[in-house]
Structure formats: C-alpha cells, structure tokens
Amino acid sequence: MVKLLPGWLPSFDYEYGTPTNLYLADGTFAGICERGIRTGDVKGPALFCLPLHLQLQALKELHPSVDVLAILDDITLHGEANEVLRAVDSIKVLLTDIGCTLHDDRGGKNKIFCMDPLANLETNMTIVSDGIEVVGCPIGKKS
C-alpha cells in the first residue's frame, strides 16, 4: 500500500485502522470485524490485489521465462512445463507471505495445460491437453 498507493493511506487508516462493529439488518449486534477487506468496499478488489501484485512481480523476477497473467485471484502461468511447475512452487511460498494459499487442485480447477500428452510432469494438479480456460476464456477445445 505504501509503495503503490501512498495517497490512499489516510482513507485506508480511517476505514481499516480500528475494528468495526457488525450489525444485522434489524440492528442486532453480530460481532466485530478486525481484519480483511470489508464486503461492499468499492476499493476492496484493489486492496486485495495490491499485495498480490507485489508477489506476482517477485514471481516474474524469479522465473523470467514464465508469463504471468492475473485478474484478481485468477492467476495463469504460461511457459515451458517444468519451469511453470517450478513457478507454481514459488508462488505457493510467495502467497503465504501475504496470508494466502494456493491449493494443488481445488476441485480440479487448477490445471496444467500441456500440449504434449507424453510429457512426464510430476504434480498433484490436473494435467489436460485438449483445452483450458484462462481468465474466463476457453483456449483449445472446449474446457
């Protein structure tokens, strides 16, 4: 935040500097929100992406031959298969630094798209060769 949007600091401190009481629609006290981006905050997606952006920049520095594309938390890595797998290992570590986790295979959604069906890739992720969806757009056959 300080590096990327220093002008937002006063607003961020005002909105997130102290815990906020939460109430139900009828006014009943429901609890206290002490961390995280608050639902309904129009700056929420940007606030979520700031630390993620810095980690993706670090990933690109570690793996310059891997293309990194992200829309919010939908991250696509493109490159030589084994280098992409090494980048996946790196992003797992980088994400833990900001309190996030990459699951190896979230219900089959995290996939390795490899056009060579004979490639010997060691991963827990699903390997597909007939198409994949990248940031919502199908590539190859229907994925």
Side-chain angles (χ1 to χ4, degrees):
M1 177 75 133
V2 174
K3 289 180 184 178
L4 296 174
L5 294 171
W8 280 20
L9 286 176
S11 173
F12 183 80
D13 186 53
Y14 174 77
E15 294 176 43
Y16 292 94
T18 59
T20 301
N21 292 335
L22 302 175
Y23 298 92
L24 301 175
D26 67 2
T28 306
F29 177 75
I32 298 175
C33 179
E34 296 184 30
R35 57 182 283 198
I37 304 303
R38 305 216 170 115
T39 301
D41 185 348
V42 296
K43 295 184 301 274
L47 294 173
F48 171 80
C49 289
L50 284 172
L52 181 59
H53 176 73
L54 295 174
Q55 298 309 81
L56 294 177
Q57 283 182 324
L59 179 70
K60 186 63 180 163
E61 290 173 15
L62 290 170
H63 303 277
S65 67
V66 174
D67 297 318
V68 179
L69 174 67
I71 296 178
L72 294 173
D73 64 346
D74 187 353
I75 302 168
T76 298
L77 305 177
H78 172 265
E80 189 274 321
N82 286 310
E83 185 61 24
V84 168
L85 289 177
R86 286 189 285 278
V88 168
D89 289 338
S90 295
I91 193 71
K92 287 179 186 178
V93 174
L94 291 166
L95 289 176
T96 60
D97 292 345
I98 59 170
C100 295
T101 304
L102 173 71
H103 300 283
D104 278 344
D105 196 2
R106 184 186 62 193
K109 291 193 74 138
N110 296 330
K111 298 177 182 172
I112 299 289
F113 176 51
C114 182
M115 293 178 66
D116 180 1
L118 302 177
N120 186 16
L121 303 176
E122 293 185 28
T123 178
N124 292 333
M125 297 173 82
T126 303
I127 299 174
V128 297
S129 60
D130 61 348
I132 194 165
E133 197 169 286
V134 177
V135 292
C137 299
I139 296 178
K141 296 180 185 175
K142 186 177 179 183
S143 56

